[in-house]
Amino acid sequence: MTATEHTEAQFKTVMAQCRELFVKKMHDYGTAWSIMRPPSLTDQLFIKAKRIRSIEMKGCNMVGESVAGEFVAIVNYAIMGVILLRRPAEQADSLLDEAEAIRQYDQVATDTLALMLRKNHDYDEAWRDMRVSSYTDLIMMKLYRTKQIEDHEGHTLVSEGIEANYLDMLNYAVFGLIKLSLENEE
């Protein structure tokens, strides 16, 4: 198995775990998240990334929920964000059908895998030599960028838009989960 094939397999494993939690939470809560506006979802992502960074910097976790669990939340919130961005404006106040939510979740996951494979080709597995804390910092940076773009009502002069930033955050969170699982195996 090549390094790229190994990365793809690890990515798919992590995404399957994230999807499983998404489906279980949808059973409990339905698709209540689908009436959120994208900036509110960005703030949810911010809360999760800020908590990870706080735990990393303080070296102490007072709530007991794992950093891995927060990375899973980032994956799922980022996918929800992309789904919201792709929804027609006239549907913004209606709940998304659960089957449709899963279909769209799978589409975003497929799109993200394709993006990761293209970028991983060009960056030649560089993510493997990075620290988990660097993924956290990159996610935080992407969040500040996203908030700025949202403040500009989505208009950029030369930069990628909000969806691209959500997809990058998702990929960094998956890499963090892969690295954390490898650390736990050692």
Side-chain angles (χ1 to χ4, degrees), residues 9 12 35 58 81 113 130 181:
K12 287 178 176 179
I35 61 146
K58 293 174 184 171
L113 173 61
M130 295 171 63
S181 71

Side-chain angles (χ1 to χ4, degrees), residues 20-117:
E20 180 181 355
L21 182 61
F22 177 83
V23 170
K24 286 179 179 177
K25 286 203 173 208
M26 195 165 48
H27 173 270
D28 292 347
Y29 304 130
T31 59
W33 58 269
S34 65
I35 61 146
M36 293 178 77
R37 291 170 285 189
S40 297
L41 213 69
T42 299
D43 285 341
Q44 281 297 116
L45 284 159
F46 182 80
I47 289 167
K48 297 301 183 182
K50 186 81 169 170
R51 181 166 183 272
I52 294 169
R53 186 175 160 107
S54 173
I55 292 168
E56 288 171 347
M57 293 177 74
K58 293 174 184 171
C60 179
N61 177 348
M62 300 291 285
V63 174
E65 296 170 355
S66 71
V67 167
E70 299 295 9
F71 276 124
V72 170
I74 289 172
V75 168
N76 285 338
Y77 279 128
I79 289 177
M80 290 177 210
V82 173
I83 291 170
L84 292 179
L85 290 172
R86 292 179 179 179
R87 281 186 88 184
E90 64 272 6
Q91 295 177 6
D93 289 333
S94 61
L95 291 175
L96 190 60
D97 174 74
E98 289 185 17
E100 180 61 16
I102 292 171
R103 188 196 69 72
Q104 289 186 32
Y105 183 102
D106 291 342
Q107 183 59 59
V108 174
T110 298
D111 295 347
T112 306
L113 173 61
L115 174 67
M116 182 279 296
L117 290 171

Side-chain angles (χ1 to χ4, degrees), residues 7-19 174 178:
T7 296
E8 182 175 356
Q10 289 175 309
F11 187 96
K12 287 178 176 179
T13 297
V14 165
M15 287 304 298
Q17 294 165 350
C18 294
R19 183 186 191 276
V174 170
I178 293 169

Side-chain angles (χ1 to χ4, degrees), residues 153-168:
E153 298 178 357
H155 302 291
T156 60
L157 298 177
V158 296
S159 304
E160 295 178 313
I162 296 168
E163 182 174 325
N165 281 284
Y166 280 160
L167 295 177
D168 283 346

